[in-house]
Amino acid sequence: MQENMDRLQLQLKEDIDRAQDFQQLDNIRVRYLGKKGDITLLMRNMNQLSPEQRPVFGKRLNELKNTAETMLEQRKKELYGELSVKRWESERVDVTLPGKPFNPGRKHLITVVLQEIEEIFTCMGFKIAEGPEVELDYYNFEALNMPKDHPARDMQDSFYINREILLRTHTSPVEVRTMQAQAPELPVRIISPGKVYRRDDDITHSPMFHQVEGLVVDKGITLADLKGTLLLFAREMFGKDRDIRLRPSFFPFTEPSAEVDISCIACDGKGCRICGGTGWLEILGSGMTHPRVLEISGYNPEEVTGYAFGMGVERIAMLKYGIDDIRLFYTNDLRMLSQY
Amino acid sequence: MKVPYNWLREYVDIPYSPEELAHRLTMAGIEVGSVQVFAPLGENFVAGKIGALSLHPNAQNLQVVTVNTGNGLLNIVCGAWNIKKGDMVPLALPGAVLPGGKEIRTAEIKGVSSPGMLCSAGELGLDIVQEEEGILILNEGCSPGTRLTDILFINEPVLELDLTPNRSDCLGLLGVAREVAAQTGGKIKISAVEVEERGRDIRELTSVEILDPELCPRYTARIMEGFKIAPSPLNMQLRLLSVGIRAIYNLVDVTNYLMWETGFPMHAFDYDKLEKGRIIVRRAHPGEEMVTLDGVTRTLDPEVLVIADARVPVGLAGVMGGEYTEITTATTRLLLEAACFNPVNIRKTARKMNLPSEASQRYEKGVDPEAAIFAQNRAVRLIQETAGGEICRGIIDNYPRPYRVPRIDLRVKKVEEVLGYDVSEREITGILEGLGLEVEAGSPPAVSSPRSNPAGAIYKVEVPSFRRDLYEEIDLIEEIARIKGFEKIPLTLPVGVLTSGRPSRERRVLDRIRDVLVGCGLQEIITFSFMNPRLFDELDLPPDDFRRNAIKLQNPLSEEQGVLRTTQIPNILQVMQYNFNRQVDNQLIFEIGKIFLPAETDSKLPLEKMLVSLALSGKMPQNDWQNTPKPLDYFYLKGILEALLNSLGIKEYRWEAGQLPFLHPTRGATLVVNDQEAGFIGALHPAALEKLQFRQDVYLAELSTEAFLNSVSLSPSFKPLPRYPSVLRDVAFTVPEKVNAGDIMQGLKECGGKLLEDIRLFDVYKGTQIPQGHLSLAFALTFRHSERTLKDDEIDEIQEAMEQFLHDKYAAILRKL
Ligand SMILES: [Zn+2]
């Protein structure tokens, strides 16, 4: 028996040394330690031994089993070292080959900019208000203090469907509609984004473009509040170093009215080609809501005041992304759109 | 409006450089678009006095002129013959650069050295009128050697104003001067004009009758005689030229000069051509004709206001004079008109006749009625100075609708309420008075209600006629802020109750749609809301299709933008065409936008519907070194729509085969969501492909969000995770080719009931192993019970029911796998 075991151990060592891969090694394990393996069988046959022999033999057998496991483990480690070098070599990939192409689509640049503007204002508590793109003359002009034959109508050459219906030339009619629906409740705090239409077509004008207008009506709203709001917007949109300046201007639906410039994003106000040397870039129009507009919309101008502003989204996008022809937005050249 | 800096200085002192003036005006709301120098001229141009003239020894067509340069005499070779001894002429000395870029050097001309050149107006870049061609003759008043830029009104910085429509007062230099004065506290330098009248009384010569005072609130006339028609003095011509007006001759030039100075357009008639010497301001008779100054015969209607003599119209009021009564060199007496007309009427006439002019532009915005007499007197004086002649005694002033000075209450408290900062009472009166307004401290409010009458002083403010844009309190508040300077406004933020800025559900749905489509690899595009109605024909849209009933624009920019779109497909196809032409072969695009459908009546607004439209063409994006690219197809697009519907939480929908607009007759389907048609999907019709010259298939889908908006669930409720295992079964059926896979799946679903968790079609086979005219559909079925483990025989039972049902209904036979 003892002899048997010694032989077995020798045999085992020989076999293990000869094993060239994990599979062979595993076969050896099965052959010796598996359910029907040699060592297992010896252990199973222990009960045939006399009670005196059993402890001695059992101890020896346990040693043998432990030795076998150690040797297998040892050899496995050796093999691992030998084999892995070959294996890694055979499993090499060229990590510089291109990855699988995933072409995520993109939003149109105007959508990107529009959503950014919307986000800035909605985070300030402005609600988004919407309205029809084909509008009544009344909402587009009359309710905004531009009666028929008002010369200011020339500022916005319009597309007409018939005498009373036209494509809206700005999103201001949405402000009137919102106020009329809400009056006399306070506050009104909205932006109205959307498409607008004017009969113009050149490098800086497109017959269709996008606007975001804003309106706040409440007790005690002032021109200073407008300036503060716009500075906040300019810095969110164009960076925290921006300055703004207000220049007096004229819009029929606001008074006082102001054009708003930001310090040039290209030269930081020093003066360059983009800002025409002035150091300033015009980005929007604004003003205090005209008392008559408040009145038409159901608010008492003696009790409340309001401010309003409006910007062209394309203009903002052109400034921010350095695009010099507005028509590029509607050519929909996929080579351009996929850049953003 | 062009404002020559030095011309403006005749009316007001300007303590600023042209650039600084431009900046200050801009910051006060008078936007200066640019400052450009009129007739820039460099160094080495001086006035020279002609001395002796002699023929060139070697050339018949040249002469040699001795010129006194103030610094000695020079012999200059000259080819012009309009000069004589004693004339003062422009001399370009060596080193001078002509406006064309040519540099003057001492030149040898046919053997005679010429250290300089005598210049014509053209050589100096000046487009002026002269009695004789040739060298420009200067005023004798100057001395030899004076620099030309010191004599002539050239090198003049000209400010180009971009005026807002309310500031028509700045359409005259005097208005701009007042604006400057308001800022500097300066005074206007020009005052009333004295006129020396002589000869006959104007009332013996003419009468003015206004038949429609609404259209003509004031008409003034003067008559002059004995003048000499000739080119205007050089500097007057240059002034006009610097604002873009070409001089003609003195009488006309004076009226233009006056218009620029006062903003008041004037017109001169040949008095002797006026029937009975009379003026009647009236509406034209229907069909009445008149030849205007430009030689065009115009047919008039009663909407047009005319200036007529006793018989016929002699001018379109405020727009253009008539040819017959035009001033000519033969004119000996003139009637000068300074009148006010209704701005709207002038605008309509100018539009209708397509005759925009400097004059009509001013009338359209309204001219200062109180300035008429001043303009008349300035004009006749200037005519006298430039053309001589006598001014007949008296002036006709027909003024049926006199200007009423508005008195505005200005509450000091309101100023602060609007602007958000304190302006002192002294500052307020100072600013308003500086603008020429009369400010008078008013009485405190009789009834003092805290709301309608904020406490504080109230001023009564009177507005002069030249600022007719100011007529209510808010106008004055704006003036105060404007002159004080917007840069003084503090920065504050509105305070008040919190409001939520969260987007509406519909907007969030649209955002979700956009995000999903972008995630599926589609590029968003935005096309115009207009379209070309001819594309309906190109795309063979049936004549009765509702999309053909598109709303027409009355005044489109072009036929291609003639109607409002009723579908986004045609515009999208144009975008594809554009990109195909630029070698972009793989296109996966979508647009989210509105279409417009006519309302029942014209007085109602059209219906606006939001559409989501998709288009694909080219190869699948799975195009790399491991995969051969496959062409995009119907199922790729359908998969995107299914992903979209899935992420919108829409479960109840089906696809119905059918013949659809734009689409291949057997490759199109209608999407039905909750039994409502929601849109279509399919391959573009091959005939359309051909017309558009597309070389590859295009797949299209267009959905109306309205149809499924209510079915969207943006935040579905939690479904507990399964606690018992599922059982998977693969089954395949041989079915006749005509049977739709969708019907088979529907059958499986019905038979599977609640236990059938999922069906996936994983193979469609057609070939030798199955009978002709049939195909094999293989499905992976997932069964699960939510409360216990399923037993095999339960599933066997369901599967048998499926087999039976599909066999009976579709002659489908279960295949042994
Ligand atoms: Zn710059």
Side-chain angles (χ1 to χ4, degrees):
Chain A
M1 202 77 186
Q2 175 70 41
E3 196 179 323
N4 217 351
M5 272 188 276
D6 291 344
R7 216 178 47 240
L8 203 55
Q9 187 163 349
L10 273 173
Q11 183 65 44
L12 177 62
K13 183 166 180 355
E14 218 170 285
D15 285 350
I16 285 176
D17 286 346
R18 224 181 297 138
Q20 286 308 307
D21 59 31
F22 295 123
Q23 185 60 50
Q24 286 174 13
L25 200 64
D26 204 46
N27 290 345
I28 294 165
R29 172 194 292 281
V30 173
R31 201 182 316 140
Y32 289 90
L33 295 172
K35 266 186 196 165
K36 289 171 187 166
D38 293 347
I39 296 173
T40 317
L41 285 179
L42 279 178
M43 289 179 105
R44 209 173 288 164
N45 292 338
M46 284 245 292
N47 53 359
Q48 290 168 12
L49 299 175
S50 66
E52 305 84 67
Q53 279 181 307
R54 242 178 262 172
V56 182
F57 197 76
K59 193 178 168 227
R60 174 76 184 106
L61 201 54
N62 253 333
E63 278 171 17
L64 178 59
K65 193 186 166 214
N66 287 341
T67 311
E69 274 168 359
T70 313
M71 284 197 298
L72 281 165
E73 202 49 43
Q74 182 66 31
R75 179 64 187 145
K76 195 173 180 179
K77 272 186 191 150
E78 283 171 27
L79 269 180
Y80 207 85
E82 289 167 26
L83 286 177
S84 52
V85 175
K86 273 190 226 160
R87 176 178 166 193
W88 301 154
E89 203 42 55
S90 70
E91 291 177 3
R92 178 184 296 280
V93 297
D94 178 355
V95 296
T96 65
L97 277 170
K100 290 276 179 184
F102 282 87
N103 303 331
R106 291 186 202 269
K107 293 172 188 172
H108 194 283
L109 182 54
I110 290 301
T111 305
V112 173
V113 176
L114 195 56
Q115 288 184 340
E116 193 176 351
I117 298 169
E118 286 167 7
E119 188 182 62
I120 293 169
F121 284 108
T122 53
C123 288
M124 288 192 234
F126 285 73
K127 193 94 192 159
I128 294 176
E130 289 176 288
E133 290 177 24
V134 183
E135 198 32 295
L136 292 170
D137 184 279
Y138 170 78
Y139 285 110
N140 194 76
F141 288 129
E142 269 178 67
L144 290 162
N145 202 22
M146 280 182 277
K148 286 233 152 74
D149 297 321
H150 193 284
R153 286 193 177 205
D154 287 359
M155 291 162 85
Q156 306 179 355
D157 203 357
S158 346
F159 290 109
Y160 275 91
I161 305 294
N162 58 43
R163 262 185 65 83
E164 294 303 327
I165 298 178
L166 72 161
L167 307 195
R168 67 178 179 193
T169 56
H170 44 191
T171 58
S172 315
V174 180
E175 298 172 0
V176 176
R177 285 175 176 273
T178 306
M179 281 193 278
Q180 289 188 351
Q182 190 181 321
E185 210 164 292
L186 293 170
V188 180
R189 200 175 289 157
I190 55 162
I191 53 166
S192 49
K195 290 175 180 156
V196 298
Y197 306 87
R198 291 185 198 172
R199 274 190 98 251
D200 261 330
D201 197 358
D202 60 44
I203 185 164
T204 53
H205 298 91
S206 169
M208 180 184 92
F209 62 102
H210 292 75
Q211 264 196 343
V212 177
E213 301 213 351
L215 171 73
V216 174
V217 177
D218 205 350
K219 291 199 162 115
I221 297 295
T222 67
L223 192 57
D225 292 336
L226 171 66
K227 200 170 165 185
T229 308
L230 294 177
L231 178 66
L232 199 57
F233 166 73
R235 292 191 171 166
E236 287 288 338
M237 192 74 201
F238 294 102
K240 61 178 170 41
D241 297 331
R242 295 281 70 74
D243 261 332
I244 62 166
R245 76 171 187 188
L246 271 60
R247 278 181 288 113
S249 187
F250 169 79
F251 307 108
F253 31 89
T254 53
E255 189 160 10
S257 302
E259 302 268 16
V260 179
D261 302 334
I262 54 167
S263 53
C264 179
I265 49 179
C267 66
D268 258 330
K270 288 179 203 77
C272 70
R273 192 186 56 86
I274 291 170
C275 56
T278 62
W280 296 94
L281 297 166
E282 185 181 321
I283 57 160
L284 53 83
S286 65
M288 297 301 291
T289 310
H290 198 287
R292 205 162 307 122
V293 174
L294 288 173
E295 208 167 350
I296 288 170
S297 304
Y299 288 95
N300 181 354
E302 286 300 314
E303 290 177 10
V304 302
T305 45
Y307 70 61
F309 56 85
M311 67 191 93
V313 179
E314 283 75 0
R315 164 110 184 124
I316 304 273
M318 288 166 88
L319 289 177
K320 198 162 171 166
Y321 292 87
I323 293 163
D324 57 3
D325 186 344
I326 195 171
R327 294 169 294 199
L328 281 174
F329 292 117
Y330 300 107
T331 314
N332 290 296
D333 191 316
L334 296 179
R335 295 167 303 176
M336 173 201 171
L337 293 182
S338 62
Q339 291 175 25
Y340 301 99
Chain B
M1 171 75 188
K2 288 187 160 73
V3 177
Y5 177 76
N6 289 304
W7 190 354
L8 184 64
R9 283 169 68 180
E10 292 199 0
Y11 311 116
V12 68
D13 288 327
I14 307 175
Y16 317 121
S17 70
E19 289 69 28
E20 197 184 342
L21 176 65
H23 176 72
R24 282 177 178 266
L25 286 174
T26 297
M27 293 314 288
I30 312 287
E31 191 178 342
V32 178
S34 66
V35 181
Q36 264 158 2
V37 176
F38 162 73
L41 201 66
E43 292 299 307
N44 299 320
F45 288 93
V46 297
K49 193 168 189 178
I50 308 280
L53 299 108
S54 61
L55 285 175
H56 192 289
N58 307 321
Q60 287 193 347
N61 57 344
L62 295 177
Q63 51 184 339
V64 179
V65 187
T66 309
V67 183
N68 178 356
T69 67
N71 199 9
L73 300 178
L74 291 178
N75 284 328
I76 305 289
V77 178
C78 175
W81 299 89
N82 68 319
I83 44 177
K84 58 180 193 303
K85 187 168 190 247
D87 280 348
M88 199 64 84
V89 295
L91 170 64
L93 294 166
V97 179
L98 295 177
K102 186 183 161 193
E103 192 184 329
I104 302 300
R105 293 198 181 85
T106 301
E108 222 15 61
I109 300 170
K110 303 233 171 186
V112 178
S113 169
S114 179
M117 184 180 102
L118 303 185
C119 304
S120 70
E123 281 160 337
L124 293 171
L126 307 174
D127 180 17
I128 57 155
V129 190
Q130 286 167 268
E131 303 224 35
E132 271 180 295
E133 298 267 306
I135 301 302
L136 179 63
I137 310 293
L138 304 170
N139 285 344
E140 293 113 41
C142 60
S143 53
T146 318
R147 291 188 309 182
L148 277 194
T149 47
D150 294 340
I151 308 167
L152 299 178
F153 291 167
I154 55 175
N155 254 4
E156 170 77 319
V158 180
L159 285 66
E160 176 83 54
L161 308 188
D162 297 333
L163 290 172
T164 53
N166 58 324
R167 294 306 302 272
S168 59
D169 60 305
C170 289
L171 285 170
L173 294 176
L174 272 171
V176 182
R178 283 189 202 105
E179 187 65 33
V180 174
Q183 289 196 31
T184 61
K187 289 265 166 303
I188 298 299
K189 291 198 265 186
I190 199 164
S191 51
V193 192
E194 305 233 329
V195 174
E196 196 186 327
E197 298 171 343
R198 204 179 272 184
R200 292 175 68 178
D201 191 304
I202 189 167
R203 272 160 216 89
E204 294 167 22
L205 295 166
T206 186
S207 68
V208 172
E209 203 178 341
I210 300 174
L211 297 187
D212 196 329
E214 289 311 315
L215 297 189
C216 178
R218 187 173 198 181
Y219 196 104
T220 67
R222 270 195 182 276
I223 290 179
M224 282 188 75
E225 58 191 1
F227 40 80
K228 179 175 173 285
I229 290 178
S232 296
L234 188 51
N235 271 337
M236 182 185 259
Q237 295 199 36
L238 290 174
R239 280 258 156 102
L240 289 174
L241 210 50
S242 70
V243 299
I245 297 176
R246 207 172 165 270
I248 300 168
Y249 47 78
N250 45 18
L251 294 192
V252 178
D253 295 348
V254 165
T255 59
N256 282 331
Y257 189 92
L258 253 294
M259 175 172 72
W260 221 266
E261 179 180 277
T262 61
F264 208 107
M266 305 184 80
H267 185 73
F269 296 94
D270 184 334
Y271 169 77
D272 294 297
K273 295 233 175 102
L274 293 173
E275 179 79 11
K276 300 195 175 150
R278 285 180 60 196
I279 291 287
I280 301 169
V281 186
R282 60 165 170 88
R283 288 169 182 270
H285 304 313
E288 206 168 11
E289 284 187 347
M290 192 193 84
V291 183
T292 41
L293 274 175
D294 51 4
V296 178
T297 305
R298 306 199 181 251
T299 308
L300 313 175
D301 61 66
E303 286 297 296
V304 178
L305 187 72
V306 297
I307 312 301
D309 59 14
R311 202 164 50 90
V312 290
V314 294
L316 299 175
V319 177
M320 191 179 252
E323 191 181 55
Y324 179 67
T325 52
E326 186 185 359
I327 305 284
T328 65
T329 42
T331 303
T332 57
R333 291 194 284 185
L334 70 80
L335 183 142
L336 195 62
E337 161 198 295
C340 297
F341 303 109
N342 177 292
V344 175
N345 180 268
I346 300 296
R347 188 153 66 118
K348 283 184 175 160
T349 303
R351 286 273 168 98
K352 191 156 53 188
M353 306 278 173
N354 194 19
L355 281 175
S357 64
E358 291 288 353
S360 70
Q361 267 177 46
R362 283 167 175 76
Y363 279 125
E364 283 174 26
K365 304 209 162 92
V367 299
D368 175 5
E370 297 289 295
I373 301 292
F374 173 79
Q376 279 283 8
N377 291 345
R378 278 284 286 169
V380 289
R381 267 289 291 275
L382 262 179
I383 291 174
Q384 214 166 31
E385 281 169 24
T386 60
E390 288 187 349
I391 303 158
C392 293
R393 258 182 295 175
I395 184 164
I396 290 193
D397 182 8
N398 213 334
Y399 197 3
R401 294 284 184 276
Y403 174 73
R404 274 199 196 86
V405 180
R407 283 165 65 88
I408 306 169
D409 284 349
L410 175 66
R411 294 165 293 178
V412 173
K413 196 80 186 173
K414 190 77 183 171
V415 177
E416 190 195 335
E417 206 177 288
V418 172
L419 302 182
Y421 64 101
D422 230 348
V423 189
S424 76
E425 296 185 10
R426 239 184 73 194
E427 221 173 342
I428 290 175
T429 48
I431 288 171
L432 296 179
E433 280 167 356
L435 285 162
L437 280 55
E438 305 246 343
V439 185
E440 176 195 322
S443 49
V447 188
S448 96
S449 130
R451 275 199 179 149
S452 61
N453 278 312
I458 297 180
Y459 290 111
K460 294 239 177 273
V461 181
E462 287 189 2
V463 183
S465 59
F466 54 79
R467 285 303 302 274
R468 290 174 318 289
D469 58 314
L470 309 179
Y471 48 87
E472 51 195 343
E473 187 181 39
I474 194 73
D475 300 330
L476 302 180
I477 296 174
E478 179 173 55
E479 290 302 290
I480 293 162
R482 194 171 69 79
I483 299 297
K484 187 172 162 65
F486 277 19
E487 72 278 2
K488 306 258 171 52
I489 304 165
L491 291 159
T492 58
L493 285 171
V495 290
V497 299
L498 285 180
T499 46
S500 162
R502 191 181 188 220
S504 67
R505 180 173 182 275
E506 187 181 349
R507 284 190 76 89
R508 282 182 286 135
V509 170
L510 291 176
D511 286 347
R512 171 80 60 94
I513 293 172
R514 187 180 285 110
D515 288 344
V516 170
L517 295 180
V518 164
C520 288
L522 272 62
Q523 166 68 53
E524 185 187 18
I525 62 167
I526 300 177
T527 67
F528 286 149
S529 301
F530 337 103
M531 60 167 287
N532 186 346
R534 280 188 30 235
L535 291 173
F536 291 135
D537 295 330
E538 293 228 351
L539 295 169
D540 274 331
L541 197 66
D544 57 346
D545 191 288
F546 74 91
R547 294 170 186 86
R548 278 193 182 262
N549 188 16
I551 298 163
K552 283 193 187 62
L553 295 183
Q554 268 187 349
N555 53 343
L557 282 173
S558 67
E559 224 242 307
E560 285 91 73
Q561 302 177 356
V563 299
L564 291 178
R565 65 183 178 189
T566 53
T567 159
Q568 301 187 127
I569 298 295
N571 286 356
I572 289 182
L573 289 173
Q574 290 198 311
V575 169
M576 292 193 110
Q577 188 169 43
Y578 175 92
N579 284 290
F580 281 142
N581 290 342
R582 281 152 189 82
Q583 284 107 40
V584 183
D585 294 328
N586 297 333
Q587 301 188 30
L588 296 87
I589 56 181
F590 75 100
E591 176 164 17
I592 299 175
K594 277 180 173 179
I595 56 154
F596 305 85
L597 304 173
E600 318 90 84
T601 63
D602 277 356
S603 57
K604 281 198 176 162
L605 291 180
L607 276 77
E608 302 187 4
K609 290 191 181 194
M610 192 62 83
L611 295 192
V612 180
S613 312
L614 299 81
L616 309 180
S617 188
K619 298 277 195 314
M620 291 189 189
Q622 289 73 31
N623 173 3
D624 56 68
W625 48 275
Q626 288 178 310
N627 292 298
T628 351
K630 291 189 197 127
L632 287 162
D633 61 10
Y634 172 86
F635 301 103
Y636 197 93
L637 180 57
K638 190 179 173 193
I640 290 171
L641 290 187
E642 285 166 340
L644 177 63
L645 293 164
N646 185 28
S647 68
L648 293 174
I650 296 172
K651 303 223 166 54
E652 289 303 312
Y653 64 86
R654 60 178 191 273
W655 309 89
E656 287 177 358
Q659 218 160 318
L660 292 159
F662 312 123
L663 300 184
H664 188 297
T666 55
R667 291 186 172 183
T670 304
L671 170 64
V672 181
V673 176
N674 275 338
D675 292 319
Q676 213 186 333
E677 273 190 30
F680 61 79
I681 176 175
L684 180 62
H685 198 290
L689 283 178
E690 204 166 302
K691 264 190 196 138
L692 295 163
Q693 295 182 304
F694 288 178
R695 282 174 310 206
Q696 56 191 46
D697 286 342
V698 168
Y699 298 90
L700 300 170
E702 189 159 74
L703 313 181
S704 161
T705 58
E706 189 187 38
F708 60 77
L709 200 59
N710 289 331
S711 313
V712 171
S713 146
L714 285 178
S715 34
S717 52
F718 172 69
K719 222 167 56 189
L721 298 174
R723 288 162 59 200
Y724 296 92
S726 61
V727 180
L728 305 176
R729 288 282 173 97
D730 287 354
V731 292
F733 292 93
T734 306
V735 299
E737 261 175 1
K738 286 250 164 82
V739 174
N740 285 328
D743 292 334
I744 299 287
M745 289 172 85
Q746 189 58 34
L748 291 172
K749 216 181 262 181
E750 280 166 26
C751 297
K754 275 201 337 205
L755 296 183
L756 180 61
E757 192 179 67
D758 185 47
I759 311 177
R760 189 169 58 85
L761 177 70
F762 67 87
D763 189 41
V764 179
Y765 173 76
K766 203 173 152 184
T768 50
Q769 307 203 8
I770 49 166
Q772 274 238 310
H774 287 67
L775 42 78
S776 158
L777 301 172
F779 300 95
L781 307 178
T782 308
F783 296 93
R784 193 196 302 271
H785 197 291
S786 57
E787 277 145 27
R788 59 184 171 78
T789 306
L790 279 172
K791 295 191 199 97
D792 275 355
D793 50 356
E794 282 178 283
I795 296 165
D796 291 345
E797 210 172 290
I798 294 170
Q799 211 172 300
E800 274 160 37
M802 288 173 168
E803 196 184 333
Q804 190 64 45
F805 178 82
L806 295 179
H807 180 265
D808 293 350
K809 194 156 182 191
Y810 301 112
I813 295 162
L814 185 73
R815 284 181 76 204
K816 304 288 171 225
L817 285 172

